[in-house]
Amino acid sequence: MRDQNRPSELPDLGARNAIVGDNIRAAQVIYSAAMLEELKLFQVVDRLTQLFQLGLLTVNRRSTGSNLYKYFKEAQLRLSERDRRDLYARTIGIPGGSDGVVVNREFNDLWLRFIARVAAINRESETKIDTVSAEANELALRRSARELAQNLSLHGAGITLFAAVDLQKQIDFATKLLSDPEVTSAYGARDMWQVVDQVATIDLGGSTNNHRYRTMALTGATIISWLAANIAKLQRNNARIPFIRIRRSEAIRSRQNELGKTATKPSDFDLVNACEQWLSVSGLSDEQISAFSALRSSATSTK
């Protein structure tokens, strides 16, 4: 029977602690899109469509023109920039959403804590530490992974789950259009990223750090995909069994640039590699990374 004294707006703690793989995968799309937003990728596509509409972008291939015209016609069916920024704020706590949007303020701390702890475990994997410290580190890593997964699952539910599908279609279209040979040729670009840089510089007030946000989009997606693929592992608490099995750091460093499209089931190697790469472009100092990886009292942790 429902407790009549419990306010109806209080969330159910069981629901908050549940981990749903589809919700996490939806949050993965939102995270990648947020990083691409920083690159002005969506704004670049909108600008190219506008130039095509005005007759200032000439294309000869029927398929290229057809794609641009279809994108123009379906403008009202797509998520607007305001819609996207509301999603980023609700799902992963990035500022910039509309007034009244409930921001996921917990995400950033949980995100940095998990990534920093993965990196710390990686860097300590070849050093000898006592059993008590090793078990404490393992438990802290498991706890941070579980708390992050719970947070993403909670905020990846509801409308976010459905909006992510449309947003992924928008990303796929942008990738196809910006990689079109006619579009790259029009800007004398080698690839889509040079098109993004040039259009942003010429028409959108300047480009941003292309390498940084591309890396964060890719590695962030890999990290979140790993969480979605390892839900069963997140529930276990046996610190004597390694939570992640890490290869030699030399092998990890040698493959830092080999991550391709996000795998459906990234390996532990992919996770560690992604965390190291994400940190390398994050701008965080070693002291900040150490602070986030430090052990915290379990009294405030999610069990």
PDB file of all heavy atoms in Angstrom, residues 283-295:
ATOM      1  N   GLY A 283      41.823  18.935 -20.765  1.00  0.00           N
ATOM      2  CA  GLY A 283      42.361  20.134 -20.140  1.00  0.00           C
ATOM      3  C   GLY A 283      42.522  20.010 -18.642  1.00  0.00           C
ATOM      4  O   GLY A 283      42.954  20.959 -17.971  1.00  0.00           O
ATOM      5  N   LEU A 284      42.195  18.852 -18.065  1.00  0.00           N
ATOM      6  CA  LEU A 284      42.353  18.644 -16.631  1.00  0.00           C
ATOM      7  C   LEU A 284      43.827  18.443 -16.286  1.00  0.00           C
ATOM      8  O   LEU A 284      44.565  17.776 -17.020  1.00  0.00           O
ATOM      9  CB  LEU A 284      41.561  17.422 -16.167  1.00  0.00           C
ATOM     10  CG  LEU A 284      40.032  17.506 -16.264  1.00  0.00           C
ATOM     11  CD1 LEU A 284      39.424  16.162 -15.909  1.00  0.00           C
ATOM     12  CD2 LEU A 284      39.494  18.593 -15.351  1.00  0.00           C
ATOM     13  N   SER A 285      44.244  18.996 -15.174  1.00  0.00           N
ATOM     14  CA  SER A 285      45.617  18.806 -14.707  1.00  0.00           C
ATOM     15  C   SER A 285      45.747  17.455 -14.014  1.00  0.00           C
ATOM     16  O   SER A 285      44.739  16.824 -13.648  1.00  0.00           O
ATOM     17  CB  SER A 285      46.001  19.913 -13.722  1.00  0.00           C
ATOM     18  OG  SER A 285      45.231  19.801 -12.533  1.00  0.00           O
ATOM     19  N   ASP A 286      46.981  17.002 -13.805  1.00  0.00           N
ATOM     20  CA  ASP A 286      47.202  15.740 -13.093  1.00  0.00           C
ATOM     21  C   ASP A 286      46.629  15.810 -11.682  1.00  0.00           C
ATOM     22  O   ASP A 286      46.118  14.817 -11.155  1.00  0.00           O
ATOM     23  CB  ASP A 286      48.696  15.423 -13.038  1.00  0.00           C
ATOM     24  CG  ASP A 286      49.254  15.020 -14.397  1.00  0.00           C
ATOM     25  OD1 ASP A 286      48.443  14.651 -15.275  1.00  0.00           O
ATOM     26  OD2 ASP A 286      50.486  15.091 -14.575  1.00  0.00           O
ATOM     27  N   GLU A 287      46.720  16.986 -11.066  1.00  0.00           N
ATOM     28  CA  GLU A 287      46.204  17.154  -9.710  1.00  0.00           C
ATOM     29  C   GLU A 287      44.682  16.998  -9.691  1.00  0.00           C
ATOM     30  O   GLU A 287      44.124  16.375  -8.780  1.00  0.00           O
ATOM     31  CB  GLU A 287      46.591  18.533  -9.150  1.00  0.00           C
ATOM     32  CG  GLU A 287      48.070  18.703  -8.856  1.00  0.00           C
ATOM     33  CD  GLU A 287      48.914  18.907 -10.111  1.00  0.00           C
ATOM     34  OE1 GLU A 287      48.319  19.208 -11.191  1.00  0.00           O
ATOM     35  OE2 GLU A 287      50.151  18.756 -10.026  1.00  0.00           O
ATOM     36  N   GLN A 288      44.019  17.558 -10.691  1.00  0.00           N
ATOM     37  CA  GLN A 288      42.562  17.430 -10.760  1.00  0.00           C
ATOM     38  C   GLN A 288      42.143  15.987 -11.012  1.00  0.00           C
ATOM     39  O   GLN A 288      41.185  15.497 -10.412  1.00  0.00           O
ATOM     40  CB  GLN A 288      42.012  18.332 -11.872  1.00  0.00           C
ATOM     41  CG  GLN A 288      42.070  19.809 -11.559  1.00  0.00           C
ATOM     42  CD  GLN A 288      41.665  20.666 -12.743  1.00  0.00           C
ATOM     43  OE1 GLN A 288      42.206  20.511 -13.843  1.00  0.00           O
ATOM     44  NE2 GLN A 288      40.715  21.571 -12.544  1.00  0.00           N
ATOM     45  N   ILE A 289      42.868  15.306 -11.889  1.00  0.00           N
ATOM     46  CA  ILE A 289      42.561  13.900 -12.171  1.00  0.00           C
ATOM     47  C   ILE A 289      42.748  13.062 -10.915  1.00  0.00           C
ATOM     48  O   ILE A 289      41.923  12.198 -10.596  1.00  0.00           O
ATOM     49  CB  ILE A 289      43.449  13.372 -13.318  1.00  0.00           C
ATOM     50  CG1 ILE A 289      43.107  14.112 -14.620  1.00  0.00           C
ATOM     51  CG2 ILE A 289      43.250  11.871 -13.499  1.00  0.00           C
ATOM     52  CD1 ILE A 289      44.049  13.808 -15.768  1.00  0.00           C
ATOM     53  N   SER A 290      43.826  13.329 -10.178  1.00  0.00           N
ATOM     54  CA  SER A 290      44.074  12.598  -8.931  1.00  0.00           C
ATOM     55  C   SER A 290      42.970  12.847  -7.922  1.00  0.00           C
ATOM     56  O   SER A 290      42.554  11.938  -7.193  1.00  0.00           O
ATOM     57  CB  SER A 290      45.431  13.009  -8.342  1.00  0.00           C
ATOM     58  OG  SER A 290      46.485  12.628  -9.199  1.00  0.00           O
ATOM     59  N   ALA A 291      42.490  14.091  -7.866  1.00  0.00           N
ATOM     60  CA  ALA A 291      41.419  14.423  -6.919  1.00  0.00           C
ATOM     61  C   ALA A 291      40.139  13.659  -7.240  1.00  0.00           C
ATOM     62  O   ALA A 291      39.452  13.149  -6.339  1.00  0.00           O
ATOM     63  CB  ALA A 291      41.160  15.925  -6.930  1.00  0.00           C
ATOM     64  N   PHE A 292      39.816  13.551  -8.510  1.00  0.00           N
ATOM     65  CA  PHE A 292      38.605  12.826  -8.895  1.00  0.00           C
ATOM     66  C   PHE A 292      38.756  11.318  -8.684  1.00  0.00           C
ATOM     67  O   PHE A 292      37.765  10.631  -8.425  1.00  0.00           O
ATOM     68  CB  PHE A 292      38.236  13.115 -10.348  1.00  0.00           C
ATOM     69  CG  PHE A 292      37.493  14.391 -10.549  1.00  0.00           C
ATOM     70  CD1 PHE A 292      38.085  15.469 -11.184  1.00  0.00           C
ATOM     71  CD2 PHE A 292      36.191  14.527 -10.084  1.00  0.00           C
ATOM     72  CE1 PHE A 292      37.396  16.657 -11.369  1.00  0.00           C
ATOM     73  CE2 PHE A 292      35.492  15.712 -10.263  1.00  0.00           C
ATOM     74  CZ  PHE A 292      36.097  16.787 -10.900  1.00  0.00           C
ATOM     75  N   SER A 293      39.965  10.799  -8.800  1.00  0.00           N
ATOM     76  CA  SER A 293      40.171   9.359  -8.645  1.00  0.00           C
ATOM     77  C   SER A 293      40.330   8.948  -7.185  1.00  0.00           C
ATOM     78  O   SER A 293      40.298   7.760  -6.873  1.00  0.00           O
ATOM     79  CB  SER A 293      41.403   8.909  -9.432  1.00  0.00           C
ATOM     80  OG  SER A 293      42.584   9.464  -8.882  1.00  0.00           O
ATOM     81  N   ALA A 294      40.475   9.927  -6.283  1.00  0.00           N
ATOM     82  CA  ALA A 294      40.703   9.615  -4.870  1.00  0.00           C
ATOM     83  C   ALA A 294      39.508   8.888  -4.275  1.00  0.00           C
ATOM     84  O   ALA A 294      38.361   9.113  -4.654  1.00  0.00           O
ATOM     85  CB  ALA A 294      40.969  10.906  -4.097  1.00  0.00           C
ATOM     86  N   LEU A 295      39.804   7.992  -3.322  1.00  0.00           N
ATOM     87  CA  LEU A 295      38.747   7.246  -2.658  1.00  0.00           C
ATOM     88  C   LEU A 295      37.904   8.176  -1.803  1.00  0.00           C
ATOM     89  O   LEU A 295      38.415   9.113  -1.194  1.00  0.00           O
ATOM     90  CB  LEU A 295      39.352   6.153  -1.761  1.00  0.00           C
ATOM     91  CG  LEU A 295      40.208   5.099  -2.476  1.00  0.00           C
ATOM     92  CD1 LEU A 295      40.714   4.084  -1.471  1.00  0.00           C
ATOM     93  CD2 LEU A 295      39.395   4.399  -3.558  1.00  0.00           C
TER      94      LEU A 295
END
